[in-house]
Amino acid sequence: MLKGKVALVTGAGHGIGRAHALELAGHGATVVVNDLGSSVSGEGNGRDADRVVDIIRERGATAIADYGDVGDEAQAEAMVARAFDEFGRLDIVVNNAGIVRDRAIWNMSVEDFDLVVRVHLRGSWLVSRAAATRWRADAKASGAPVYGRIINTTSGAGLQGNFGQSNYSPAKAAIAALTQTLSLELASIGVTVNAISPVAATRLASGVVGQGAVVESDERADGAFDPLDPALAAPVVAWLAAPQSGHISGQVLRVTGEYLALMQGWEPLVKTFNGRKYWDATTLGAVTATEFFRTRAPGVRAGS
């Protein structure tokens, strides 16, 4: 399905990203396996990426490791350039790298906010920009569309919010908006841009889903279906990366256990009209009292 294609997967040393890299390689893609080598935050050591590359090669496919920091402009540019230098092309970008620093807002430091936004949002933007710049140049040079796929990673926290994640949730919400915007900007050169919203038991999510020891999906014994398997979203990524999904762009797909859902963004739920007059703040409560507002806190009524 992906024979001859070259993919870059960020944050692919373990968990969901590792499953993506293995799935893409299993369908014939050559994979640049990115996972952080080292950083000021103490994240990463590079060995995870090496292990994934070894697995891919043992299975007869081609892969190289990259240890760049997606949040660093020069390193993001370099990892994309490396794909072109090593293989002559880059067709697929999977922006998966991420970290968490969970705390309620009154306990969260500015550093923890900035770091999470830097990796998730800035990192996705930097890698996408590096690829998009090259793809656009190729399209202008040839006068024809290119083959390009960007697949971003959002989350339920980004779509609905989550207590203790006032850094992570906005970053993931912004990635959904980034996906829609890039789908518009890159459509004319043939590039599709979509996002997945996976649910899985990973090191990143251990404090949220409350799982025990994390086991990589490719190391699990065959058996019953696991609704938190990190590999559940990988076939969706491979499909979005493939030629047959070229008509799909600007979409968010949520993968939860056995369910695949097409998500819909901010659309009007209820409308009311004021007959070409300015709204009056003193009467808005009566206008909207019946069905307009919903509270997020169970048992709490509007105005109480």
Side-chain angles (χ1 to χ4, degrees):
M1 190 166 67
L2 297 173
K3 186 176 181 179
K5 300 294 189 288
V6 177
L8 165 63
V9 183
T10 68
H14 53 81
I16 292 172
R18 171 171 165 153
H20 292 341
L22 296 178
E23 180 81 14
L24 292 169
H27 288 285
T30 294
V31 184
V32 180
V33 179
N34 163 263
D35 206 69
L36 191 59
S38 62
S39 73
V40 292
S41 66
E43 305 263 347
N45 57 31
R47 291 192 297 270
D48 292 329
D50 293 335
R51 176 57 183 147
V52 177
V53 168
D54 289 342
I55 295 171
I56 290 173
R57 290 175 177 173
E58 288 166 4
R59 296 178 178 180
T62 303
I64 59 173
D66 179 88
Y67 315 117
D69 176 359
V70 298
D72 180 273
E73 181 179 3
Q75 293 182 53
E77 294 280 348
M79 70 179 71
V80 169
R82 187 170 181 208
F84 282 91
D85 293 342
E86 294 272 352
F87 306 112
R89 61 189 297 153
L90 177 63
D91 307 286
I92 303 156
V93 171
V94 182
N95 287 310
N96 171 77
I99 61 171
V100 291
R101 295 290 187 274
D102 293 352
R103 289 178 179 83
I105 192 169
W106 50 85
N107 290 324
M108 185 176 292
S109 68
V110 172
E111 291 76 17
D112 281 346
F113 180 89
D114 288 344
L115 184 59
V116 169
V117 172
R118 178 186 183 276
V119 175
H120 288 273
L121 178 57
R122 177 184 166 93
S124 296
W125 185 83
L126 283 174
V127 176
S128 296
R129 185 185 67 164
T133 300
R134 285 179 172 265
W135 286 334
R136 183 170 183 267
D138 288 347
K140 290 179 69 175
S142 67
V146 300
Y147 187 101
R149 302 283 190 268
I150 296 176
I151 302 161
N152 294 321
T153 310
T154 184
S155 75
L159 302 176
Q160 298 175 330
N162 194 45
F163 186 96
Q165 293 189 314
S166 62
N167 47 10
Y168 179 82
S169 293
K172 286 304 195 184
I175 287 173
L178 175 67
T179 298
Q180 294 177 315
T181 299
L182 294 185
S183 73
L184 300 175
E185 292 184 349
L186 302 180
S188 64
I189 62 170
V191 176
T192 68
V193 188
N194 294 286
I196 60 162
S197 174
V199 175
T202 65
R203 283 186 274 181
L204 190 70
S206 59
V208 178
V209 301
Q211 84 258 15
V214 175
V215 179
E216 299 293 353
S217 58
D218 55 295
E219 297 176 347
R220 299 182 183 199
D222 292 337
F225 175 78
D226 181 358
L228 293 177
D229 189 336
L232 285 171
V236 179
V237 168
W239 173 66
L240 288 172
Q244 55 261 50
S245 66
H247 61 292
I248 301 168
S249 195
Q251 305 304 315
V252 175
L253 298 175
R254 182 129 170 99
V255 187
T256 309
E258 63 186 296
Y259 297 101
L260 176 63
L262 175 64
M263 306 301 289
Q264 180 174 308
W266 290 102
E267 297 287 346
L269 180 64
V270 179
K271 289 184 180 180
T272 187
F273 302 92
N274 200 33
R276 296 181 62 83
K277 295 183 295 183
Y278 289 96
W279 293 107
D280 182 346
T282 63
T283 61
L284 274 176
V287 172
T288 61
T290 56
E291 58 178 342
F292 210 80
F293 290 113
R294 296 179 179 178
T295 179
R296 292 296 303 273
V300 178
R301 293 176 300 171
S304 63

mmCIF file of all heavy atoms in Angstrom, residues 214-264:
data_model
loop_
_atom_site.group_PDB
_atom_site.id
_atom_site.type_symbol
_atom_site.label_atom_id
_atom_site.label_comp_id
_atom_site.label_asym_id
_atom_site.label_seq_id
_atom_site.Cartn_x
_atom_site.Cartn_y
_atom_site.Cartn_z
ATOM 1 N N VAL A 214 3.555 -0.522 31.248
ATOM 2 C CA VAL A 214 3.325 -0.321 29.826
ATOM 3 C C VAL A 214 4.047 -1.398 29.034
ATOM 4 O O VAL A 214 5.237 -1.645 29.225
ATOM 5 C CB VAL A 214 3.815 1.079 29.391
ATOM 6 C CG1 VAL A 214 3.688 1.246 27.892
ATOM 7 C CG2 VAL A 214 3.026 2.160 30.116
ATOM 8 N N VAL A 215 3.328 -2.050 28.130
ATOM 9 C CA VAL A 215 3.904 -3.053 27.243
ATOM 10 C C VAL A 215 3.689 -2.583 25.818
ATOM 11 O O VAL A 215 2.571 -2.226 25.433
ATOM 12 C CB VAL A 215 3.254 -4.442 27.452
ATOM 13 C CG1 VAL A 215 3.855 -5.455 26.490
ATOM 14 C CG2 VAL A 215 3.415 -4.896 28.890
ATOM 15 N N GLU A 216 4.758 -2.557 25.026
ATOM 16 C CA GLU A 216 4.632 -2.129 23.639
ATOM 17 C C GLU A 216 3.726 -3.090 22.881
ATOM 18 O O GLU A 216 3.734 -4.302 23.119
ATOM 19 C CB GLU A 216 6.002 -2.074 22.967
ATOM 20 C CG GLU A 216 6.971 -1.095 23.618
ATOM 21 C CD GLU A 216 6.567 0.369 23.465
ATOM 22 O OE1 GLU A 216 5.595 0.657 22.745
ATOM 23 O OE2 GLU A 216 7.229 1.220 24.078
ATOM 24 N N SER A 217 2.961 -2.551 21.938
ATOM 25 C CA SER A 217 1.965 -3.357 21.240
ATOM 26 C C SER A 217 2.589 -4.528 20.491
ATOM 27 O O SER A 217 1.999 -5.609 20.423
ATOM 28 C CB SER A 217 1.173 -2.477 20.266
ATOM 29 O OG SER A 217 2.043 -1.861 19.331
ATOM 30 N N ASP A 218 3.792 -4.332 19.938
ATOM 31 C CA ASP A 218 4.417 -5.403 19.168
ATOM 32 C C ASP A 218 5.071 -6.457 20.052
ATOM 33 O O ASP A 218 5.546 -7.475 19.558
ATOM 34 C CB ASP A 218 5.467 -4.831 18.213
ATOM 35 C CG ASP A 218 6.507 -3.998 18.943
ATOM 36 O OD1 ASP A 218 6.117 -2.952 19.490
ATOM 37 O OD2 ASP A 218 7.690 -4.385 18.974
ATOM 38 N N GLU A 219 5.090 -6.231 21.359
ATOM 39 C CA GLU A 219 5.675 -7.189 22.296
ATOM 40 C C GLU A 219 4.622 -7.966 23.070
ATOM 41 O O GLU A 219 4.943 -8.794 23.905
ATOM 42 C CB GLU A 219 6.598 -6.456 23.284
ATOM 43 C CG GLU A 219 7.797 -5.788 22.606
ATOM 44 C CD GLU A 219 8.639 -4.981 23.571
ATOM 45 O OE1 GLU A 219 8.156 -4.731 24.701
ATOM 46 O OE2 GLU A 219 9.762 -4.599 23.205
ATOM 47 N N ARG A 220 3.359 -7.719 22.782
ATOM 48 C CA ARG A 220 2.278 -8.390 23.496
ATOM 49 C C ARG A 220 2.024 -9.774 22.914
ATOM 50 O O ARG A 220 2.156 -9.987 21.706
ATOM 51 C CB ARG A 220 0.989 -7.571 23.424
ATOM 52 C CG ARG A 220 1.129 -6.198 24.065
ATOM 53 C CD ARG A 220 -0.175 -5.438 24.022
ATOM 54 N NE ARG A 220 0.021 -4.104 24.579
ATOM 55 C CZ ARG A 220 -0.959 -3.342 25.013
ATOM 56 N NH1 ARG A 220 -2.197 -3.768 24.945
ATOM 57 N NH2 ARG A 220 -0.717 -2.155 25.507
ATOM 58 N N ALA A 221 1.658 -10.680 23.782
ATOM 59 C CA ALA A 221 1.282 -12.017 23.308
ATOM 60 C C ALA A 221 -0.050 -11.926 22.574
ATOM 61 O O ALA A 221 -0.908 -11.094 22.898
ATOM 62 C CB ALA A 221 1.174 -12.975 24.488
ATOM 63 N N ASP A 222 -0.215 -12.758 21.558
ATOM 64 C CA ASP A 222 -1.486 -12.791 20.853
ATOM 65 C C ASP A 222 -2.596 -13.204 21.810
ATOM 66 O O ASP A 222 -2.415 -14.058 22.666
ATOM 67 C CB ASP A 222 -1.420 -13.795 19.695
ATOM 68 C CG ASP A 222 -0.470 -13.335 18.603
ATOM 69 O OD1 ASP A 222 -0.224 -12.123 18.518
ATOM 70 O OD2 ASP A 222 0.025 -14.198 17.864
ATOM 71 N N GLY A 223 -3.731 -12.570 21.675
ATOM 72 C CA GLY A 223 -4.825 -12.897 22.580
ATOM 73 C C GLY A 223 -6.009 -12.008 22.356
ATOM 74 O O GLY A 223 -6.288 -11.595 21.226
ATOM 75 N N ALA A 224 -6.695 -11.689 23.434
ATOM 76 C CA ALA A 224 -7.934 -10.928 23.344
ATOM 77 C C ALA A 224 -7.674 -9.498 22.888
ATOM 78 O O ALA A 224 -6.582 -8.954 23.055
ATOM 79 C CB ALA A 224 -8.643 -10.942 24.690
ATOM 80 N N PHE A 225 -8.695 -8.905 22.331
ATOM 81 C CA PHE A 225 -8.653 -7.515 21.904
ATOM 82 C C PHE A 225 -8.396 -6.607 23.100
ATOM 83 O O PHE A 225 -9.029 -6.737 24.151
ATOM 84 C CB PHE A 225 -9.989 -7.147 21.256
ATOM 85 C CG PHE A 225 -10.112 -5.702 20.872
ATOM 86 C CD1 PHE A 225 -9.504 -5.221 19.732
ATOM 87 C CD2 PHE A 225 -10.847 -4.826 21.664
ATOM 88 C CE1 PHE A 225 -9.620 -3.887 19.377
ATOM 89 C CE2 PHE A 225 -10.971 -3.493 21.318
ATOM 90 C CZ PHE A 225 -10.352 -3.024 20.172
ATOM 91 N N ASP A 226 -7.466 -5.678 22.959
ATOM 92 C CA ASP A 226 -7.133 -4.734 24.016
ATOM 93 C C ASP A 226 -7.577 -3.341 23.584
ATOM 94 O O ASP A 226 -7.007 -2.767 22.647
ATOM 95 C CB ASP A 226 -5.632 -4.749 24.291
ATOM 96 C CG ASP A 226 -5.229 -3.788 25.406
ATOM 97 O OD1 ASP A 226 -6.106 -3.079 25.932
ATOM 98 O OD2 ASP A 226 -4.028 -3.754 25.738
ATOM 99 N N PRO A 227 -8.580 -2.763 24.221
ATOM 100 C CA PRO A 227 -9.083 -1.455 23.794
ATOM 101 C C PRO A 227 -8.125 -0.301 24.067
ATOM 102 O O PRO A 227 -8.388 0.824 23.641
ATOM 103 C CB PRO A 227 -10.376 -1.293 24.606
ATOM 104 C CG PRO A 227 -10.169 -2.137 25.810
ATOM 105 C CD PRO A 227 -9.358 -3.312 25.359
ATOM 106 N N LEU A 228 -7.014 -0.571 24.766
ATOM 107 C CA LEU A 228 -6.024 0.470 25.024
ATOM 108 C C LEU A 228 -4.689 0.182 24.339
ATOM 109 O O LEU A 228 -3.669 0.757 24.684
ATOM 110 C CB LEU A 228 -5.805 0.629 26.539
ATOM 111 C CG LEU A 228 -6.989 1.179 27.329
ATOM 112 C CD1 LEU A 228 -6.664 1.224 28.820
ATOM 113 C CD2 LEU A 228 -7.378 2.577 26.839
ATOM 114 N N ASP A 229 -4.701 -0.699 23.366
ATOM 115 C CA ASP A 229 -3.492 -1.034 22.630
ATOM 116 C C ASP A 229 -2.996 0.199 21.871
ATOM 117 O O ASP A 229 -3.760 0.807 21.111
ATOM 118 C CB ASP A 229 -3.797 -2.169 21.650
ATOM 119 C CG ASP A 229 -2.548 -2.742 20.982
ATOM 120 O OD1 ASP A 229 -1.536 -2.028 20.889
ATOM 121 O OD2 ASP A 229 -2.599 -3.908 20.558
ATOM 122 N N PRO A 230 -1.724 0.596 22.030
ATOM 123 C CA PRO A 230 -1.207 1.758 21.297
ATOM 124 C C PRO A 230 -1.251 1.601 19.778
ATOM 125 O O PRO A 230 -1.158 2.586 19.052
ATOM 126 C CB PRO A 230 0.243 1.851 21.779
ATOM 127 C CG PRO A 230 0.260 1.178 23.103
ATOM 128 C CD PRO A 230 -0.746 0.065 23.000
ATOM 129 N N ALA A 231 -1.398 0.370 19.304
ATOM 130 C CA ALA A 231 -1.406 0.132 17.851
ATOM 131 C C ALA A 231 -2.772 0.322 17.217
ATOM 132 O O ALA A 231 -2.894 0.227 15.987
ATOM 133 C CB ALA A 231 -0.907 -1.286 17.560
ATOM 134 N N LEU A 232 -3.800 0.605 17.991
ATOM 135 C CA LEU A 232 -5.151 0.670 17.428
ATOM 136 C C LEU A 232 -5.294 1.742 16.351
ATOM 137 O O LEU A 232 -6.022 1.555 15.380
ATOM 138 C CB LEU A 232 -6.172 0.920 18.545
ATOM 139 C CG LEU A 232 -6.499 -0.283 19.438
ATOM 140 C CD1 LEU A 232 -7.347 0.147 20.614
ATOM 141 C CD2 LEU A 232 -7.212 -1.359 18.629
ATOM 142 N N ALA A 233 -4.611 2.859 16.517
ATOM 143 C CA ALA A 233 -4.748 3.944 15.543
ATOM 144 C C ALA A 233 -3.796 3.804 14.366
ATOM 145 O O ALA A 233 -3.944 4.510 13.365
ATOM 146 C CB ALA A 233 -4.521 5.294 16.226
ATOM 147 N N ALA A 234 -2.819 2.903 14.455
ATOM 148 C CA ALA A 234 -1.794 2.804 13.417
ATOM 149 C C ALA A 234 -2.363 2.459 12.045
ATOM 150 O O ALA A 234 -1.941 3.050 11.032
ATOM 151 C CB ALA A 234 -0.724 1.799 13.835
ATOM 152 N N PRO A 235 -3.322 1.520 11.922
ATOM 153 C CA PRO A 235 -3.894 1.267 10.593
ATOM 154 C C PRO A 235 -4.606 2.480 10.013
ATOM 155 O O PRO A 235 -4.625 2.663 8.787
ATOM 156 C CB PRO A 235 -4.875 0.117 10.852
ATOM 157 C CG PRO A 235 -4.370 -0.550 12.091
ATOM 158 C CD PRO A 235 -3.824 0.560 12.922
ATOM 159 N N VAL A 236 -5.188 3.307 10.865
ATOM 160 C CA VAL A 236 -5.847 4.523 10.389
ATOM 161 C C VAL A 236 -4.809 5.482 9.816
ATOM 162 O O VAL A 236 -5.019 6.113 8.773
ATOM 163 C CB VAL A 236 -6.650 5.188 11.528
ATOM 164 C CG1 VAL A 236 -7.327 6.464 11.035
ATOM 165 C CG2 VAL A 236 -7.683 4.219 12.092
ATOM 166 N N VAL A 237 -3.673 5.579 10.493
ATOM 167 C CA VAL A 237 -2.584 6.418 9.999
ATOM 168 C C VAL A 237 -2.085 5.912 8.649
ATOM 169 O O VAL A 237 -1.883 6.685 7.707
ATOM 170 C CB VAL A 237 -1.444 6.476 11.030
ATOM 171 C CG1 VAL A 237 -0.189 7.101 10.427
ATOM 172 C CG2 VAL A 237 -1.874 7.260 12.256
ATOM 173 N N ALA A 238 -1.874 4.606 8.548
ATOM 174 C CA ALA A 238 -1.398 4.032 7.283
ATOM 175 C C ALA A 238 -2.389 4.286 6.152
ATOM 176 O O ALA A 238 -1.997 4.594 5.017
ATOM 177 C CB ALA A 238 -1.152 2.532 7.451
ATOM 178 N N TRP A 239 -3.673 4.171 6.456
ATOM 179 C CA TRP A 239 -4.703 4.429 5.453
ATOM 180 C C TRP A 239 -4.710 5.893 5.032
ATOM 181 O O TRP A 239 -4.784 6.220 3.839
ATOM 182 C CB TRP A 239 -6.065 4.014 5.998
ATOM 183 C CG TRP A 239 -7.221 4.385 5.136
ATOM 184 C CD1 TRP A 239 -7.516 3.907 3.893
ATOM 185 C CD2 TRP A 239 -8.244 5.338 5.450
ATOM 186 N NE1 TRP A 239 -8.669 4.493 3.415
ATOM 187 C CE2 TRP A 239 -9.135 5.372 4.354
ATOM 188 C CE3 TRP A 239 -8.505 6.141 6.561
ATOM 189 C CZ2 TRP A 239 -10.252 6.192 4.334
ATOM 190 C CZ3 TRP A 239 -9.617 6.963 6.543
ATOM 191 C CH2 TRP A 239 -10.481 6.990 5.437
ATOM 192 N N LEU A 240 -4.605 6.811 5.988
ATOM 193 C CA LEU A 240 -4.565 8.234 5.654
ATOM 194 C C LEU A 240 -3.312 8.586 4.864
ATOM 195 O O LEU A 240 -3.306 9.558 4.103
ATOM 196 C CB LEU A 240 -4.625 9.078 6.937
ATOM 197 C CG LEU A 240 -5.967 9.126 7.669
ATOM 198 C CD1 LEU A 240 -5.817 9.830 9.011
ATOM 199 C CD2 LEU A 240 -7.037 9.811 6.822
ATOM 200 N N ALA A 241 -2.260 7.805 5.045
ATOM 201 C CA ALA A 241 -1.009 8.041 4.329
ATOM 202 C C ALA A 241 -1.032 7.485 2.916
ATOM 203 O O ALA A 241 -0.171 7.814 2.101
ATOM 204 C CB ALA A 241 0.154 7.425 5.104
ATOM 205 N N ALA A 242 -1.998 6.644 2.617
ATOM 206 C CA ALA A 242 -2.013 5.896 1.363
ATOM 207 C C ALA A 242 -2.720 6.674 0.241
ATOM 208 O O ALA A 242 -3.494 7.601 0.493
ATOM 209 C CB ALA A 242 -2.709 4.552 1.573
ATOM 210 N N PRO A 243 -2.480 6.273 -1.011
ATOM 211 C CA PRO A 243 -3.096 6.968 -2.147
ATOM 212 C C PRO A 243 -4.622 6.979 -2.108
ATOM 213 O O PRO A 243 -5.248 7.956 -2.527
ATOM 214 C CB PRO A 243 -2.587 6.180 -3.359
ATOM 215 C CG PRO A 243 -1.280 5.606 -2.907
ATOM 216 C CD PRO A 243 -1.480 5.270 -1.446
ATOM 217 N N GLN A 244 -5.237 5.898 -1.615
ATOM 218 C CA GLN A 244 -6.696 5.818 -1.669
ATOM 219 C C GLN A 244 -7.408 6.816 -0.765
ATOM 220 O O GLN A 244 -8.616 6.984 -0.863
ATOM 221 C CB GLN A 244 -7.188 4.399 -1.349
ATOM 222 C CG GLN A 244 -6.710 3.840 -0.038
ATOM 223 C CD GLN A 244 -5.531 2.913 -0.212
ATOM 224 O OE1 GLN A 244 -4.556 3.262 -0.872
ATOM 225 N NE2 GLN A 244 -5.599 1.717 0.351
ATOM 226 N N SER A 245 -6.675 7.505 0.122
ATOM 227 C CA SER A 245 -7.317 8.504 0.987
ATOM 228 C C SER A 245 -7.041 9.926 0.513
ATOM 229 O O SER A 245 -7.230 10.879 1.271
ATOM 230 C CB SER A 245 -6.828 8.349 2.430
ATOM 231 O OG SER A 245 -5.444 8.662 2.520
ATOM 232 N N GLY A 246 -6.628 10.068 -0.725
ATOM 233 C CA GLY A 246 -6.267 11.387 -1.231
ATOM 234 C C GLY A 246 -7.396 12.395 -1.273
ATOM 235 O O GLY A 246 -7.153 13.592 -1.376
ATOM 236 N N HIS A 247 -8.629 11.936 -1.169
ATOM 237 C CA HIS A 247 -9.776 12.847 -1.190
ATOM 238 C C HIS A 247 -10.144 13.342 0.212
ATOM 239 O O HIS A 247 -11.076 14.136 0.362
ATOM 240 C CB HIS A 247 -10.988 12.133 -1.793
ATOM 241 C CG HIS A 247 -11.421 10.924 -1.015
ATOM 242 N ND1 HIS A 247 -10.659 9.773 -0.928
ATOM 243 C CD2 HIS A 247 -12.538 10.688 -0.267
ATOM 244 C CE1 HIS A 247 -11.294 8.884 -0.175
ATOM 245 N NE2 HIS A 247 -12.427 9.421 0.221
ATOM 246 N N ILE A 248 -9.435 12.882 1.232
ATOM 247 C CA ILE A 248 -9.775 13.219 2.617
ATOM 248 C C ILE A 248 -8.758 14.214 3.156
ATOM 249 O O ILE A 248 -7.552 13.942 3.157
ATOM 250 C CB ILE A 248 -9.778 11.958 3.502
ATOM 251 C CG1 ILE A 248 -10.786 10.944 2.966
ATOM 252 C CG2 ILE A 248 -10.092 12.312 4.951
ATOM 253 C CD1 ILE A 248 -10.649 9.572 3.592
ATOM 254 N N SER A 249 -9.218 15.366 3.619
ATOM 255 C CA SER A 249 -8.309 16.355 4.178
ATOM 256 C C SER A 249 -9.069 17.272 5.132
ATOM 257 O O SER A 249 -10.274 17.488 4.974
ATOM 258 C CB SER A 249 -7.652 17.184 3.061
ATOM 259 O OG SER A 249 -6.532 17.888 3.544
ATOM 260 N N GLY A 250 -8.353 17.780 6.123
ATOM 261 C CA GLY A 250 -8.948 18.681 7.097
ATOM 262 C C GLY A 250 -9.849 18.004 8.099
ATOM 263 O O GLY A 250 -10.665 18.660 8.750
ATOM 264 N N GLN A 251 -9.681 16.683 8.297
ATOM 265 C CA GLN A 251 -10.569 15.918 9.160
ATOM 266 C C GLN A 251 -9.857 15.451 10.429
ATOM 267 O O GLN A 251 -8.644 15.295 10.450
ATOM 268 C CB GLN A 251 -11.124 14.708 8.406
ATOM 269 C CG GLN A 251 -11.809 15.046 7.104
ATOM 270 C CD GLN A 251 -12.941 16.043 7.270
ATOM 271 O OE1 GLN A 251 -13.763 15.923 8.173
ATOM 272 N NE2 GLN A 251 -12.984 17.041 6.396
ATOM 273 N N VAL A 252 -10.643 15.224 11.462
ATOM 274 C CA VAL A 252 -10.153 14.651 12.712
ATOM 275 C C VAL A 252 -10.872 13.330 12.950
ATOM 276 O O VAL A 252 -12.107 13.289 13.004
ATOM 277 C CB VAL A 252 -10.390 15.595 13.914
ATOM 278 C CG1 VAL A 252 -9.968 14.916 15.219
ATOM 279 C CG2 VAL A 252 -9.628 16.902 13.729
ATOM 280 N N LEU A 253 -10.109 12.253 13.067
ATOM 281 C CA LEU A 253 -10.665 10.924 13.299
ATOM 282 C C LEU A 253 -10.279 10.461 14.693
ATOM 283 O O LEU A 253 -9.098 10.440 15.039
ATOM 284 C CB LEU A 253 -10.133 9.936 12.259
ATOM 285 C CG LEU A 253 -10.490 10.237 10.801
ATOM 286 C CD1 LEU A 253 -9.796 9.256 9.873
ATOM 287 C CD2 LEU A 253 -11.996 10.180 10.606
ATOM 288 N N ARG A 254 -11.288 10.096 15.478
ATOM 289 C CA ARG A 254 -11.045 9.615 16.845
ATOM 290 C C ARG A 254 -11.078 8.093 16.841
ATOM 291 O O ARG A 254 -12.022 7.473 16.342
ATOM 292 C CB ARG A 254 -12.091 10.161 17.803
ATOM 293 C CG ARG A 254 -11.867 9.728 19.261
ATOM 294 C CD ARG A 254 -11.894 10.907 20.165
ATOM 295 N NE ARG A 254 -11.912 10.553 21.580
ATOM 296 C CZ ARG A 254 -10.833 10.549 22.354
ATOM 297 N NH1 ARG A 254 -9.651 10.834 21.842
ATOM 298 N NH2 ARG A 254 -10.936 10.270 23.633
ATOM 299 N N VAL A 255 -10.025 7.501 17.402
ATOM 300 C CA VAL A 255 -9.900 6.049 17.471
ATOM 301 C C VAL A 255 -9.954 5.645 18.934
ATOM 302 O O VAL A 255 -9.010 5.869 19.700
ATOM 303 C CB VAL A 255 -8.594 5.562 16.829
ATOM 304 C CG1 VAL A 255 -8.575 4.035 16.762
ATOM 305 C CG2 VAL A 255 -8.419 6.155 15.437
ATOM 306 N N THR A 256 -11.065 5.065 19.338
ATOM 307 C CA THR A 256 -11.289 4.682 20.729
ATOM 308 C C THR A 256 -11.681 3.221 20.772
ATOM 309 O O THR A 256 -12.801 2.859 20.405
ATOM 310 C CB THR A 256 -12.427 5.524 21.356
ATOM 311 O OG1 THR A 256 -12.177 6.902 21.115
ATOM 312 C CG2 THR A 256 -12.506 5.283 22.852
ATOM 313 N N GLY A 257 -10.756 2.354 21.214
ATOM 314 C CA GLY A 257 -11.053 0.935 21.238
ATOM 315 C C GLY A 257 -11.411 0.445 19.854
ATOM 316 O O GLY A 257 -10.670 0.641 18.895
ATOM 317 N N GLU A 258 -12.581 -0.154 19.723
ATOM 318 C CA GLU A 258 -13.020 -0.683 18.427
ATOM 319 C C GLU A 258 -13.731 0.355 17.582
ATOM 320 O O GLU A 258 -14.151 0.057 16.454
ATOM 321 C CB GLU A 258 -13.960 -1.873 18.650
ATOM 322 C CG GLU A 258 -15.239 -1.497 19.386
ATOM 323 C CD GLU A 258 -16.092 -2.701 19.738
ATOM 324 O OE1 GLU A 258 -16.566 -3.367 18.814
ATOM 325 O OE2 GLU A 258 -16.252 -2.972 20.940
ATOM 326 N N TYR A 259 -13.865 1.587 18.092
ATOM 327 C CA TYR A 259 -14.666 2.598 17.397
ATOM 328 C C TYR A 259 -13.783 3.581 16.638
ATOM 329 O O TYR A 259 -12.746 4.018 17.127
ATOM 330 C CB TYR A 259 -15.548 3.362 18.391
ATOM 331 C CG TYR A 259 -16.561 2.489 19.071
ATOM 332 C CD1 TYR A 259 -16.344 2.027 20.365
ATOM 333 C CD2 TYR A 259 -17.729 2.099 18.417
ATOM 334 C CE1 TYR A 259 -17.261 1.198 20.994
ATOM 335 C CE2 TYR A 259 -18.652 1.274 19.033
ATOM 336 C CZ TYR A 259 -18.414 0.836 20.324
ATOM 337 O OH TYR A 259 -19.327 0.016 20.934
ATOM 338 N N LEU A 260 -14.246 3.934 15.461
ATOM 339 C CA LEU A 260 -13.642 4.984 14.652
ATOM 340 C C LEU A 260 -14.708 6.035 14.412
ATOM 341 O O LEU A 260 -15.788 5.718 13.911
ATOM 342 C CB LEU A 260 -13.143 4.408 13.328
ATOM 343 C CG LEU A 260 -12.568 5.400 12.320
ATOM 344 C CD1 LEU A 260 -11.321 6.076 12.870
ATOM 345 C CD2 LEU A 260 -12.268 4.695 10.994
ATOM 346 N N ALA A 261 -14.413 7.270 14.778
ATOM 347 C CA ALA A 261 -15.413 8.329 14.672
ATOM 348 C C ALA A 261 -14.853 9.518 13.916
ATOM 349 O O ALA A 261 -13.698 9.919 14.129
ATOM 350 C CB ALA A 261 -15.868 8.769 16.065
ATOM 351 N N LEU A 262 -15.666 10.085 13.040
ATOM 352 C CA LEU A 262 -15.343 11.346 12.392
ATOM 353 C C LEU A 262 -15.843 12.464 13.292
ATOM 354 O O LEU A 262 -17.041 12.544 13.590
ATOM 355 C CB LEU A 262 -16.009 11.422 11.021
ATOM 356 C CG LEU A 262 -15.850 12.754 10.277
ATOM 357 C CD1 LEU A 262 -14.395 13.022 9.946
ATOM 358 C CD2 LEU A 262 -16.707 12.764 9.012
ATOM 359 N N MET A 263 -14.937 13.320 13.737
ATOM 360 C CA MET A 263 -15.294 14.376 14.682
ATOM 361 C C MET A 263 -15.714 15.645 13.943
ATOM 362 O O MET A 263 -15.269 15.906 12.823
ATOM 363 C CB MET A 263 -14.108 14.675 15.603
ATOM 364 C CG MET A 263 -13.556 13.450 16.320
ATOM 365 S SD MET A 263 -14.775 12.596 17.356
ATOM 366 C CE MET A 263 -14.960 13.781 18.698
ATOM 367 N N GLN A 264 -16.574 16.400 14.577
ATOM 368 C CA GLN A 264 -17.041 17.663 14.018
ATOM 369 C C GLN A 264 -16.672 18.780 14.975
ATOM 370 O O GLN A 264 -16.848 18.659 16.189
ATOM 371 C CB GLN A 264 -18.552 17.621 13.814
ATOM 372 C CG GLN A 264 -19.132 18.901 13.228
ATOM 373 C CD GLN A 264 -20.608 18.761 12.910
ATOM 374 O OE1 GLN A 264 -21.018 17.837 12.228
ATOM 375 N NE2 GLN A 264 -21.416 19.674 13.419
#
